[in-house]
Amino acid sequence: MKVQICIGSSCHVRGSKQVIETLMKLTKEHEKEVEIELSGSFCMGACSKGVSIRIGEQIYHVKPEDAEDFFHEVILKEAQNAGN
Ligand code: FES
């Protein structure tokens, strides 16, 4: 499953680097269970509420401190569903 994280300037200021580091670490920890492909993306035109993350057609906004919860509650579940 593809997960794109915005690295545009507005998301960078909101902590995209930290979000990416957290998601990379968690993806590695779960690499045996689910297939998650992280990649960077330019501005998604949705800069207002936190770091933009696109999964399929959906764009989420994630704060660095919420990245771990987001991984477990959204990314992991979506990836498990995609694998079924
Ligand atoms: S900079 Fe990330 S959505 Fe615009």
Side-chain angles (χ1 to χ4, degrees), residues 14-23 64-65 67:
R14 290 185 165 85
S16 60
K17 190 165 172 267
Q18 242 178 295
V19 170
I20 290 169
E21 279 167 9
T22 303
L23 297 184
E65 62 269 31

Side-chain angles (χ1 to χ4, degrees), residues 9-43:
S9 51
S10 182
C11 289
H12 179 77
V13 170
R14 290 185 165 85
S16 60
K17 190 165 172 267
Q18 242 178 295
V19 170
I20 290 169
E21 279 167 9
T22 303
L23 297 184
M24 277 175 63
K25 181 182 118 231
L26 292 166
T27 296
K28 185 121 191 63
E29 284 173 17
H30 292 270
E31 68 186 352
K32 292 203 176 71
E33 304 153 46
V34 286
E35 213 175 295
I36 298 167
E37 195 186 311
L38 299 176
S39 62
S41 157
F42 293 114
C43 179

Side-chain angles (χ1 to χ4, degrees), residues 36-79:
I36 298 167
E37 195 186 311
L38 299 176
S39 62
S41 157
F42 293 114
C43 179
M44 299 176 189
C47 312
S48 55
K49 291 182 231 142
V51 178
S52 298
I53 298 182
R54 187 200 299 273
I55 302 174
E57 294 301 306
Q58 185 80 37
I59 295 179
Y60 301 88
H61 302 282
V62 181
K63 295 190 181 118
E65 62 269 31
D66 298 333
E68 187 156 352
D69 287 346
F70 180 76
F71 181 88
H72 289 110
E73 283 161 25
V74 179
I75 297 181
L76 207 51
K77 283 192 186 148
E78 294 267 343

